[in-house]
Amino acid sequence: MRDFSADHRWLSINTATVRRQRGADWPLAQILDACAARGIRAVAPWRDQVGVAGLAATARQLRALGLELSGYCRGGMFTYTDAAGRQAVRDDNRRALDEACTLAAPCLVLVVGGLPGALAGHAAHREIAAAREQVTEGIAALLADARERRMPLAIEPLHPMYAADRACINTLEQALDVCDALDPPLADGTGRRVHSGALGVAVDLYHVWWDPKLAAQIARAGRERLLALHVCDWLTPTTDLLEDRGMMGDGVIDIPRIRAWVEAEGYAGYSEVEIFSATNWWQRDGGEVLDTCIERHRRCV
Amino acid sequence: MRDFSADHRWLSINTATVRRQRGADWPLAQILDACAARGIRAVAPWRDQVGVAGLAATARQLRALGLELSGYCRGGMFTYTDAAGRQAVRDDNRRALDEACTLAAPCLVLVVGGLPGALAGHAAHREIAAAREQVTEGIAALLADARERRMPLAIEPLHPMYAADRACINTLEQALDVCDALDPPLADGTGRRVHSGALGVAVDLYHVWWDPKLAAQIARAGRERLLALHVCDWLTPTTDLLEDRGMMGDGVIDIPRIRAWVEAEGYAGYSEVEIFSATNWWQRDGGEVLDTCIERHRRCV
């Protein structure tokens, strides 16, 4: 397991962590400058932030600053109620794929969607199994394009509390079942199973830390399918289902233990901090938040 | 699958559903009277409510009204930090067992506890695997007493959002793994596996509805281990992790489908309504809530 205590070379900042400080959007260009100024080497920007800043301008700035991506956030939301919705989903995901390529992302992260309409408070139906079928079909369609572009797709299982409205893939086991179905392992000639790397998972500790099968499923994923590692912490109490994530070290997740499991499989990429925190971290100066991420990355991850 | 549309003979009311109406505790004795007056045949009282009403008085009232229990709510909270805590847990669970026997409950429901101290906001450690071991040991110890008393223990897997502070058994699969470990299935002479019925599960749809393995695990449980069925609904959005449960029909859970799976295994007991709702149902007249439970039981369960 890598030693993070001496520097922050493996820290990445998901830009949602500092997207809206004290009630005002922090422009993506300024976030990138602030990260680079602190020696942070990687970020994971959100599509809406890139949309405001401009795709080409963001790509140029990233290159100028020497910033890498740890992932592009995000494609997905595959569920729909009619043919027009299905087409809109596919078109939007192809655009996300194009953007990920333009930004030289190592993977496009997929938050797969829940029951159609539920995010707006009006679920079209209660058939989560049907939603899951749409998700699998949507990933299959996108995967064909993604293979051509050589852009890995990272399915992010979301915490079961988001099953209705954000993502109906809720465990690592379930995500890996989809990987096995759409991108089956191949024998490498020596009898070992190998994965293409075209489809894998993003392991966000906030979503999966509770899972009694977590260690076993990380081992099942193996190196080629562990495409991203996201960290933050689970607070007790948690006062909001979406926007009360904790800074690493402030909650109950045994982050180093889980990181050790991931690295034991050969994962050697970034540790990406993604914190939605309406009443705490979003109420602070963005630079203070980044400085805290660096300190906690070294001490608590 | 039983037809619930014509009557409410299989409706049970978990008394937390109407415990605190418009800011004032509704005394258990009045809740029982109000249930009986509506032809409700079963309840699941909470220990603290029974404590206030008096155990013997409650047992007498239940008999006088002809009310059954669908379960006794609850034992558990097995995790601890020191030997004194361990002993206190065991003593308290033995008392819960005694009370369940006095009230002629069909089972004692177990909410197993999370990281010690987390419910008070101060987790003693982050080792959820260690907490899970304490839980298994605690259930094993209680099971010995429960077998003597012929009181089935029903492990209730709680939603993963409660893993830190309320229960570190979070899926039906995990609960059944504990059942298999502590109360292994026996061969019945014809090669069929049979379960003793001493240890099983309480299936609360709020906690398990999202699980992609739910149907398979219900089938795995089988008749002898399906000791209780709890219903309410998952709202979108959900505004509070604990006290924003929905009335059946107001959310996204496909209740009849899951009830069908449970009944296909032979479950023929009550459908117990358990709703914690700080800003909606707890703000209404208790009688109105009970009337709504009856109507929704017939139409949406």
Side-chain angles (χ1 to χ4, degrees), chain B residues 42-86:
Chain B
V43 294
W46 278 59
R47 286 186 76 197
D48 64 316
Q49 293 172 297
V50 171
V52 171
L55 179 63
T58 300
R60 275 196 305 273
Q61 187 184 4
L62 289 166
R63 281 194 301 272
L65 294 172
L67 276 172
E68 293 192 310
L69 261 58
S70 56
Y72 188 46
C73 196
R74 55 182 167 70
M77 296 292 166
F78 290 108
T79 56
Y80 54 84
T81 55
D82 56 26
R86 179 168 178 267

Side-chain angles (χ1 to χ4, degrees), chain A residues 115 118 121 123 126-128 132 159-161 163-165 170-171 173-174 209-213 234 236-241 249 251-254 257, chain B residues 115 118 121 123 126-128 132 159-161 163-165 170-171 173-174 209-213 234 236-241 249 251-254 257:
Chain A
L115 299 170
R126 295 184 173 91
E127 297 178 35
I128 195 166
R132 286 167 170 157
H159 194 286
M161 68 184 173
D165 50 12
N170 303 104
T171 64
E173 181 175 29
Q174 187 189 4
W209 75 275
W210 61 271
D211 187 347
K213 304 179 81 171
W234 182 279
T236 56
T238 292
T239 59
D240 185 87
L241 272 77
V252 300
I253 303 178
D254 192 342
R257 185 183 303 248
Chain B
L115 299 170
R126 295 184 174 91
E127 297 178 35
I128 195 166
R132 285 168 170 156
H159 195 286
M161 68 184 172
D165 49 13
N170 304 105
T171 63
E173 180 175 29
Q174 187 190 3
W209 75 274
W210 60 272
D211 187 347
K213 303 179 83 171
W234 182 278
T236 56
T238 293
T239 60
D240 185 88
L241 272 77
V252 300
I253 303 178
D254 191 343
R257 185 182 303 246

Side-chain angles (χ1 to χ4, degrees), chain B residues 114-136:
Chain B
L115 299 170
L119 193 54
H122 306 286
H125 60 73
R126 295 184 174 91
E127 297 178 35
I128 195 166
R132 285 168 170 156
E133 285 177 17
Q134 289 186 344
V135 165
T136 300

Side-chain angles (χ1 to χ4, degrees), chain A residues 47-125:
Chain A
R47 286 186 76 197
D48 64 316
Q49 294 173 299
V50 170
V52 171
L55 179 63
T58 300
R60 276 196 305 274
Q61 187 184 7
L62 288 166
R63 281 195 300 273
L65 294 172
L67 276 172
E68 294 192 309
L69 261 57
S70 56
Y72 189 45
C73 197
R74 54 183 166 70
M77 296 292 166
F78 291 107
T79 57
Y80 54 85
T81 55
D82 56 26
R86 180 168 177 267
Q87 192 59 48
V89 163
R90 296 201 171 188
D91 293 345
D92 190 56
N93 274 294
R94 287 203 187 93
R95 284 192 295 272
L97 191 61
D98 286 341
E99 294 165 25
C101 292
T102 300
L103 298 172
C107 62
L108 174 63
V109 173
L110 302 180
V111 171
V112 300
L115 299 170
L119 194 54
H122 306 285
H125 60 74

Side-chain angles (χ1 to χ4, degrees), chain A residues 237-255:
Chain A
T238 292
T239 59
D240 185 87
L241 272 77
L242 186 63
E243 298 185 346
D244 192 32
R245 298 191 186 191
M247 181 65 68
M248 301 80 74
D250 288 346
V252 300
I253 303 178
D254 192 342
I255 301 173

